[in-house]
Amino acid sequence: MYELEKSNLQRCSEYVVHILRPSYVKGFMTTYLRPEVAERILSEESKSVTAAAQVFLDQVCLLDELGWYQALLDALEAEDYKGLCEALKGWDFQTLESTKLHRVLLDRIEPRFTKMIKPRDLLLHLGDCLRKRECEEIQAIENLKGPIAAAERLTDCLKRSDKQNWFKLLKSALYSCELTDALQLLEPDTESSMSKMEVGDEDEGDTVMTVSFQYTEQSDDDDGMLMSGNPLTPSETPPTSATGANSGVGEVQKGGEKSRGGEKKMREYQRELAEPVFQGKNTVICAPTGCGKTVVALAICEQHLKVKGKGAKVVFMATKVDVFNQQYKLFQEHFQEKDPDIRIDGLCGNQGDQLSMKVVMENNDIIVLTPQILVNAMAQGEVPSLSCFSLLILDECHNTTGKHPYNIIMTSYLDAKLSTEQNGQHLPQIVGLTASVGIGSFKNQSEAENNICQLCASLDSRIISTIHTNTDELQSYVHTPDKEFFLVQKRHTDPFIRIIHDIMAKIEGLAKTVYNIESLSSIENRDYGSQKYEQWIVDVQKKCRVLQLKDQEEESRVCRALYNYTEHLRKYNDALIINEDARTKDALEYLSSFIQQVKNAGHDATERQLTAYFDGQQGVLRGLSSGGQKENPKLDMLQYILEEQYRQNDETKSVLFVRTRALADALKSWMEESDSLKFLKPGVLIGRGRKSSQLTGSGMTLNSKKGVLDSFKSFDNQSKILIATSVADEGIDIPQCNLVLMYEYVGNVVKMVQVRGRGRAQGSKCILVSDKKDRIDKEKHNMEKEKIVERAIRNLQDTPTEMLRKMEVFQRGDKVCRDMVKMVPERPRTEGSYQLLCSKCKKHSCYTDDIRVLQDSHHIVLDPTLFSRARTEPHPKPKGFMGLVKTRKLFCHCGLDWGIVASYLTIQNLPVLKIESFVVKNCVTEQQRYYRKWRDVTFSMKTFELTDIADSWNPYILSNQCLCMWAWSLIEHILHMKTILSF
């Protein structure tokens, strides 16, 4: 009986198992199937709906009870399976077959699709293709597990829909909810009109997930740059691909040689940007990162050299050494092809100490610099005034604020312009390049306009040049990256945090037994593992430095103990921050490395007690770090994003931005130890490594940075991902990058534009991953502020008279302030004797009478006995700086870094101190003060003279004396270590 029905069901089982959810016909199952069978089906459904439907169908085909088939049809119709029910009644599945391609498409794009949609909004438009109970379940899932889980359930319901028009209704819903990115996934070959609306919609709300801004630096590639600029037209040059195979400006590699495209032909939008400069006007060029501003700068230089002839002297400045090297190479290559007679040289870093700026300036037409080089040259008189130059180009000119070298240079310019003697004559033309002028804080368009006018006033530029006429051509060379946000749930429980909190509480308790540390800082509500706690530590340490007690020995003991306590608290706080963003294993390794360094340095009784706290919990912490707790949800999300991206495109090149060096190292280790991610071969790009609270590394040299970038840019897939701190968010050209990941990395509007612009290849995406809703909201707010800046620029361009008026007010107001500061007499430095005490242990270091100032910057101690109170180690990076050559590092016996030992001319072993490591004690009043910079000290110091050395300093005798001192220091250290080992 029912053999025909059973045969047909088995033949058409594919449609049934991919549509039916057995739990929806639970009434039928409890009536016609055995209870244990029904339970097994429901249990299987929790793992796989399709597998459960297959078990259900197999069991149904075993039924012999009269009326079961009609009962099945009735159950399907009652649960609104009308499409499936009609197909089973007539055994006609053509209608369901017609939607198969749509289900396949949705299944293929599901990983990306579920991150782009908003289930709660879509449900309002999908009532005709979803069952009521499905809508209720999706809403419940969103309330319990969040929007991504709900989106996955919604997508599954759509794929199992038996409604003929479900795909059409879905597209209509996406359109109504303005989910353009998701809609384009369903229509990959068409550009919806909604997308076009979105580009120009200035009132777009927070719900929009796409940022319509243009990128792709087709001209700033190290290897594919220029050679003569932009030799191909848009019709001749396809857009750049994610592999970077065509990332240059028509530049092609042939057998290791670069083919020349002939004489440069500027694109029209680039000519539009440069036009005000060609007319001789001071100009700020504001254009998207990646549109070829370097091409514009080169064209400006060419035109300027032609017009000015022998009177031309051009300076191009880049804010970072990495960018300097990149741009200097581009200038050399371009003009070598264009006009080899044009003389070009470059100076950065300590090159300014090796080469005379005056000589470089007199013998070259174009000079590429880092701005501090020019500031130093002006201070030393090598550049008497800016009138020596005819054109200054400031790359990343939005930095012209505060004490930045750009602002120091432009202050000199404006003082000359506004002075009665010069009256602005013979000053160079100023050109600024930037991707955003959205500097400072602002709440509305008026405040944004004031900030922009202040920047333009600082640059003395009355013109903001943007692209208006040739936007179509711009868009033919660039693309629109997607901006996505992933809000991740935090760890629910974390025993590691509890243990670290307990240790920190014990350390705070110990510190309070030594001194009332609460009286040293007014910072309250400081949570462990927060930036505010770090600020509290800094504040306490600052107050400890100048803490005075009647008993000097007690003062030394208390200050040293408090320094040790707070330094350990700092490291535990750092570890909590690492644990929040990375693995427990990474945080533990950070702590272990610090504790080991403390032990290796010969720790005292206080430090032994502190390290014992860690040692007592180390076994438990090791167990937690080796898999004893759930992995960080943020890492799970990051892994999912990377796996999905590289599954879709194995040629993907990614840049992952993080906040700290420690986190960069931690994520690198995580990827290298992950079976599914180690193929990425991650590289790390961080800064040069000045003083940092982070324990990891001391930064990267220029050569190591170049090696990492070269590996990332190469086409042989040496490295597929670059993990970078802020060093890579501005200026560095990475044309192959098509995925930018921001891992808890949010800044201001300018940083947002710069970071997003690292994605240069076609189809690029920019994704923010965070477990903090306020951080995601801040980035969305930045997107809205970016639109405010764009409107402010347009309004200023439309009202040039008002812009000029504001600029003049700012310029003259700033000039009055500078003049008033100059009129205030410099506070005379007092005569008398002062004592320098180690800021950690308060032990005597030297007297100020023995300090000499060399070249207005180096502070040398001419007291040979200093070495009896210090120890030295070979300098890890011995090199010259302003005439001195670093040879060794100088430390107090307590371990605090005091400075360096250097040689000068033929004089060896000169101790050079950094004031931030000391407390200055007045020998008369015994008052103590702390200074962070030598320029802030209130006591006088003598200038270094060679006669000082001749009278009291024999370098050969001193070398032997130093050797004895070092030997004695080493013996003391060995004896100390033996005492510890025998303890």
Coordinates of all heavy atoms in Angstrom, one line a residue, residues 581-583 585-586 631 634-635 637-643 646 654-658 663-684 712 719-724 739 741 743:
D581 N 43.2 40.9 24.1 CA 43.2 40.9 22.7 C 43.8 39.7 22.0 O 43.6 39.5 20.8 CB 43.9 42.2 22.2 CG 43.2 43.5 22.5 OD1 41.9 43.4 22.6 OD2 43.8 44.5 22.6
A582 N 44.6 38.9 22.8 CA 45.3 37.8 22.2 C 45.0 36.6 23.1 O 43.9 36.4 23.7 CB 46.8 38.1 22.1
R583 N 46.0 35.6 23.1 CA 45.8 34.4 23.9 C 46.3 34.6 25.3 O 47.2 35.4 25.5 CB 46.5 33.2 23.2 CG 46.1 32.9 21.8 CD 47.0 31.9 21.2 NE 48.4 32.4 21.0 CZ 49.3 31.7 20.5 NH1 49.1 30.5 20.1 NH2 50.6 32.2 20.4
K585 N 48.2 32.5 26.5 CA 49.6 32.0 26.4 C 50.5 33.2 26.1 O 51.6 33.3 26.6 CB 49.6 31.0 25.2 CG 51.0 30.6 24.8 CD 51.0 29.6 23.6 CE 52.4 29.2 23.2 NZ 52.4 28.3 22.0
D586 N 50.0 34.1 25.2 CA 50.8 35.3 24.9 C 51.1 36.2 26.1 O 52.2 36.7 26.3 CB 50.2 36.1 23.8 CG 50.0 35.2 22.5 OD1 50.9 34.6 22.1 OD2 48.8 35.2 22.0
E631 N 39.2 29.7 23.9 CA 40.0 30.7 23.2 C 39.3 32.0 23.1 O 38.1 32.1 23.3 CB 40.3 30.1 21.8 CG 41.3 30.9 21.0 CD 42.6 31.0 21.6 OE1 42.8 31.9 22.5 OE2 43.5 30.3 21.2
K634 N 37.6 37.0 20.0 CA 38.0 37.9 19.0 C 39.0 37.2 18.0 O 39.0 37.5 16.8 CB 38.7 39.1 19.6 CG 37.7 40.2 20.1 CD 38.4 41.5 20.4 CE 39.2 41.4 21.7 NZ 39.6 42.7 22.2
L635 N 39.8 36.3 18.6 CA 40.7 35.6 17.7 C 39.9 34.6 16.8 O 40.3 34.4 15.7 CB 41.7 34.8 18.5 CG 42.8 35.7 19.3 CD1 43.7 34.8 20.0 CD2 43.6 36.5 18.3
M637 N 37.0 35.1 15.7 CA 36.4 35.9 14.6 C 37.5 36.3 13.6 O 37.2 36.2 12.4 CB 35.7 37.2 15.2 CG 35.1 38.1 14.1 SD 33.9 37.2 13.0 CE 32.6 37.1 14.2
L638 N 38.6 36.7 14.1 CA 39.7 37.1 13.1 C 40.1 35.9 12.3 O 40.4 36.0 11.1 CB 40.9 37.6 14.0 CG 42.1 38.1 13.2 CD1 41.7 39.2 12.2 CD2 43.2 38.5 14.1
Q639 N 40.2 34.7 12.9 CA 40.5 33.5 12.1 C 39.5 33.2 11.1 O 39.8 32.9 9.9 CB 40.7 32.3 13.1 CG 41.1 31.0 12.4 CD 41.4 29.9 13.4 OE1 41.3 30.1 14.6 NE2 41.6 28.7 12.8
Y640 N 38.2 33.4 11.5 CA 37.1 33.1 10.5 C 37.2 34.1 9.3 O 37.1 33.7 8.1 CB 35.8 33.3 11.2 CG 34.6 33.3 10.2 CD1 34.1 32.1 9.7 CD2 34.1 34.5 9.8 CE1 33.0 32.1 8.8 CE2 33.0 34.5 8.9 CZ 32.5 33.3 8.4 OH 31.5 33.4 7.5
I641 N 37.5 35.3 9.6 CA 37.5 36.3 8.5 C 38.7 36.0 7.6 O 38.5 36.0 6.3 CB 37.7 37.7 9.1 CG1 36.5 38.2 9.9 CG2 38.1 38.8 8.0 CD1 36.7 39.5 10.7
L642 N 39.9 35.7 8.1 CA 41.0 35.4 7.3 C 40.8 34.1 6.5 O 41.1 34.1 5.3 CB 42.3 35.3 8.2 CG 42.8 36.6 8.8 CD1 43.8 36.3 9.8 CD2 43.3 37.5 7.7
E643 N 40.3 33.1 7.1 CA 40.1 31.8 6.4 C 39.1 32.0 5.3 O 39.3 31.5 4.2 CB 39.6 30.7 7.4 CG 40.6 30.2 8.3 CD 40.0 29.3 9.4 OE1 38.8 29.1 9.4 OE2 40.8 28.6 10.1
Y646 N 40.7 34.2 2.4 CA 41.7 33.4 1.6 C 41.1 32.2 0.9 O 41.7 31.7 -0.1 CB 42.9 33.0 2.4 CG 43.8 34.2 2.7 CD1 43.7 35.0 3.8 CD2 44.8 34.5 1.8 CE1 44.5 36.1 4.1 CE2 45.7 35.6 2.1 CZ 45.5 36.4 3.2 OH 46.3 37.5 3.4
S654 N 46.9 41.1 3.0 CA 46.3 41.7 4.1 C 47.2 42.5 5.0 O 48.4 42.2 5.1 CB 45.6 40.7 5.0 OG 44.7 39.8 4.3
V655 N 46.7 43.7 5.5 CA 47.4 44.4 6.6 C 46.5 44.4 7.8 O 45.4 44.8 7.7 CB 47.7 45.8 6.1 CG1 48.4 46.6 7.3 CG2 48.7 45.8 4.9
L656 N 47.1 44.0 8.9 CA 46.3 43.9 10.2 C 46.9 44.9 11.1 O 48.1 44.9 11.5 CB 46.5 42.5 10.8 CG 46.0 42.3 12.2 CD1 44.5 42.5 12.3 CD2 46.3 40.9 12.7
F657 N 46.1 46.0 11.4 CA 46.6 47.0 12.3 C 46.2 46.7 13.8 O 45.1 46.3 14.1 CB 45.9 48.4 11.9 CG 46.5 49.0 10.7 CD1 45.9 48.9 9.5 CD2 47.7 49.7 10.8 CE1 46.5 49.5 8.4 CE2 48.3 50.3 9.7 CZ 47.7 50.2 8.5
V658 N 47.2 46.9 14.7 CA 47.0 46.7 16.1 C 47.6 47.8 16.9 O 48.3 48.7 16.3 CB 47.7 45.4 16.5 CG1 47.1 44.1 15.9 CG2 49.2 45.4 16.3
L663 N 51.2 43.2 21.1 CA 50.1 42.6 20.5 C 50.5 42.1 19.1 O 50.1 41.0 18.6 CB 48.9 43.5 20.4 CG 47.6 42.8 19.8 CD1 47.2 41.6 20.5 CD2 46.4 43.8 19.8
A664 N 51.3 42.9 18.4 CA 51.8 42.5 17.0 C 52.6 41.2 17.1 O 52.4 40.3 16.3 CB 52.6 43.6 16.4
D665 N 53.4 41.1 18.1 CA 54.2 39.9 18.3 C 53.3 38.7 18.7 O 53.5 37.6 18.2 CB 55.3 40.1 19.4 CG 56.4 41.0 18.9 OD1 56.6 41.1 17.7 OD2 57.1 41.7 19.7
A666 N 52.3 39.0 19.5 CA 51.5 37.9 20.0 C 50.6 37.3 18.8 O 50.5 36.1 18.7 CB 50.5 38.4 21.1
L667 N 50.1 38.2 18.0 CA 49.3 37.8 16.9 C 50.1 37.0 15.8 O 49.7 36.1 15.2 CB 48.5 38.9 16.2 CG 47.4 39.6 17.1 CD1 46.7 40.7 16.3 CD2 46.4 38.5 17.5
K668 N 51.4 37.5 15.7 CA 52.3 36.8 14.8 C 52.5 35.3 15.3 O 52.4 34.4 14.5 CB 53.6 37.5 14.7 CG 54.6 36.8 13.7 CD 55.9 37.7 13.6 CE 56.9 37.2 12.6 NZ 57.5 35.9 13.0
S669 N 52.8 35.2 16.6 CA 53.0 33.8 17.1 C 51.7 33.0 17.0 O 51.8 31.8 16.6 CB 53.3 33.9 18.6 OG 54.6 34.6 18.8
W670 N 50.6 33.6 17.2 CA 49.3 32.9 17.1 C 49.1 32.3 15.7 O 48.7 31.2 15.5 CB 48.2 33.8 17.5 CG 46.8 33.3 17.2 CD1 46.1 32.2 17.7 CD2 45.9 33.9 16.2 NE1 44.9 32.1 17.1 CE2 44.7 33.1 16.2 CE3 46.0 35.0 15.3 CZ2 43.6 33.4 15.4 CZ3 44.9 35.3 14.5 CH2 43.7 34.5 14.5
M671 N 49.3 33.2 14.7 CA 49.2 32.7 13.3 C 50.2 31.6 12.9 O 49.8 30.7 12.3 CB 49.3 33.9 12.3 CG 48.2 34.9 12.4 SD 48.4 36.3 11.2 CE 47.2 37.4 11.7
E672 N 51.4 31.8 13.4 CA 52.4 30.8 13.0 C 52.1 29.5 13.7 O 52.5 28.4 13.1 CB 53.8 31.3 13.4 CG 54.3 32.5 12.6 CD 55.6 33.1 13.1 OE1 55.9 32.9 14.3 OE2 56.3 33.7 12.3
E673 N 51.4 29.5 14.8 CA 51.1 28.2 15.5 C 49.8 27.7 15.1 O 49.4 26.6 15.6 CB 51.2 28.5 17.0 CG 52.6 28.8 17.5 CD 52.5 29.3 19.0 OE1 51.6 29.0 19.7 OE2 53.5 29.9 19.4
S674 N 49.0 28.4 14.3 CA 47.7 27.9 13.8 C 47.8 27.1 12.5 O 48.4 27.6 11.5 CB 46.8 29.1 13.6 OG 45.6 28.7 13.0
D675 N 47.3 25.9 12.5 CA 47.4 25.0 11.3 C 46.7 25.7 10.1 O 47.2 25.5 9.0 CB 46.8 23.7 11.6 CG 47.6 22.9 12.6 OD1 48.8 23.1 12.7 OD2 47.0 22.0 13.3
S676 N 45.7 26.4 10.3 CA 44.9 27.0 9.2 C 45.4 28.3 8.8 O 45.0 28.9 7.7 CB 43.4 27.1 9.6 OG 43.2 28.0 10.7
L677 N 46.3 29.0 9.6 CA 46.8 30.3 9.2 C 48.3 30.4 9.0 O 48.8 31.5 8.5 CB 46.4 31.3 10.3 CG 44.9 31.5 10.6 CD1 44.7 32.5 11.7 CD2 44.2 32.0 9.3
K678 N 49.0 29.4 9.3 CA 50.5 29.5 9.3 C 51.0 29.7 7.8 O 52.1 30.2 7.6 CB 51.2 28.3 9.9 CG 50.9 27.0 9.3 CD 51.5 25.9 10.1 CE 51.2 24.5 9.5 NZ 51.7 23.4 10.4
F679 N 50.1 29.4 6.8 CA 50.5 29.6 5.4 C 50.6 31.1 5.1 O 51.2 31.4 4.1 CB 49.5 28.9 4.5 CG 48.2 29.7 4.4 CD1 48.0 30.5 3.3 CD2 47.2 29.5 5.3 CE1 46.9 31.2 3.1 CE2 46.0 30.2 5.2 CZ 45.8 31.1 4.1
L680 N 50.1 31.9 6.0 CA 50.1 33.4 5.7 C 51.5 33.9 5.9 O 51.8 35.0 5.3 CB 49.2 34.1 6.7 CG 47.7 33.8 6.5 CD1 46.9 34.5 7.6 CD2 47.2 34.1 5.1
K681 N 52.4 33.2 6.6 CA 53.8 33.7 6.9 C 53.8 35.2 7.3 O 54.3 36.0 6.6 CB 54.6 33.5 5.6 CG 54.7 32.0 5.2 CD 55.6 31.9 3.9 CE 55.6 30.4 3.5 NZ 56.4 30.2 2.2
P682 N 53.2 35.5 8.4 CA 53.0 36.9 8.8 C 54.3 37.6 9.0 O 55.3 37.0 9.5 CB 52.2 36.8 10.1 CG 52.5 35.4 10.6 CD 52.7 34.5 9.4
G683 N 54.3 38.9 8.6 CA 55.4 39.8 8.9 C 55.0 40.8 9.9 O 53.8 41.1 9.9
V684 N 55.9 41.4 10.6 CA 55.5 42.4 11.6 C 56.2 43.7 11.3 O 57.4 43.7 10.9 CB 56.0 42.0 13.0 CG1 55.8 43.1 14.0 CG2 55.1 40.8 13.5
F712 N 56.5 41.2 1.8 CA 55.1 41.4 1.6 C 54.7 41.8 0.2 O 53.7 41.3 -0.4 CB 54.5 42.4 2.6 CG 53.0 42.6 2.6 CD1 52.2 41.6 3.1 CD2 52.5 43.7 2.0 CE1 50.8 41.8 3.1 CE2 51.1 43.9 2.0 CZ 50.3 42.9 2.5
S719 N 55.1 36.4 2.0 CA 54.3 36.8 3.1 C 53.0 37.3 2.6 O 52.9 38.1 1.7 CB 55.0 37.9 4.0 OG 54.1 38.4 5.0
K720 N 51.9 36.8 3.2 CA 50.5 37.2 2.7 C 49.9 38.2 3.7 O 48.8 38.7 3.3 CB 49.7 36.0 2.6 CG 50.0 35.0 1.4 CD 49.2 33.8 1.4 CE 49.5 32.9 0.2 NZ 49.0 33.5 -1.0
I721 N 50.4 38.4 4.8 CA 49.8 39.4 5.8 C 50.9 40.1 6.5 O 51.9 39.6 6.9 CB 48.9 38.6 6.8 CG1 48.1 39.6 7.6 CG2 49.7 37.7 7.7 CD1 47.0 39.0 8.4
L722 N 50.6 41.4 6.8 CA 51.5 42.3 7.5 C 50.8 42.7 8.8 O 49.7 43.3 8.7 CB 51.8 43.5 6.6 CG 53.0 44.3 7.0 CD1 54.3 43.5 7.0 CD2 53.2 45.5 6.0
I723 N 51.4 42.5 9.9 CA 50.8 42.9 11.2 C 51.6 44.2 11.6 O 52.8 44.2 11.8 CB 51.0 41.9 12.3 CG1 50.4 40.5 11.8 CG2 50.3 42.3 13.6 CD1 50.7 39.4 12.7
A724 N 50.8 45.3 11.7 CA 51.5 46.6 11.8 C 50.9 47.4 12.9 O 49.7 47.4 13.2 CB 51.4 47.4 10.5
L739 N 43.0 43.7 1.7 CA 42.2 43.5 2.9 C 42.9 44.3 4.1 O 44.1 44.0 4.4 CB 42.1 42.0 3.3 CG 41.4 41.7 4.6 CD1 39.9 42.2 4.5 CD2 41.5 40.2 4.9
L741 N 42.6 45.0 8.0 CA 41.9 44.6 9.2 C 42.3 45.6 10.4 O 43.5 45.8 10.6 CB 42.3 43.2 9.6 CG 41.8 42.1 8.6 CD1 42.5 40.8 8.8 CD2 40.3 41.9 8.8
Y743 N 42.2 45.8 14.2 CA 41.9 44.9 15.4 C 41.9 45.8 16.6 O 43.0 46.2 17.2 CB 43.0 43.9 15.5 CG 42.7 42.7 16.4 CD1 41.8 41.8 16.1 CD2 43.4 42.6 17.6 CE1 41.5 40.7 16.9 CE2 43.1 41.5 18.5 CZ 42.2 40.6 18.1 OH 41.9 39.5 19.0

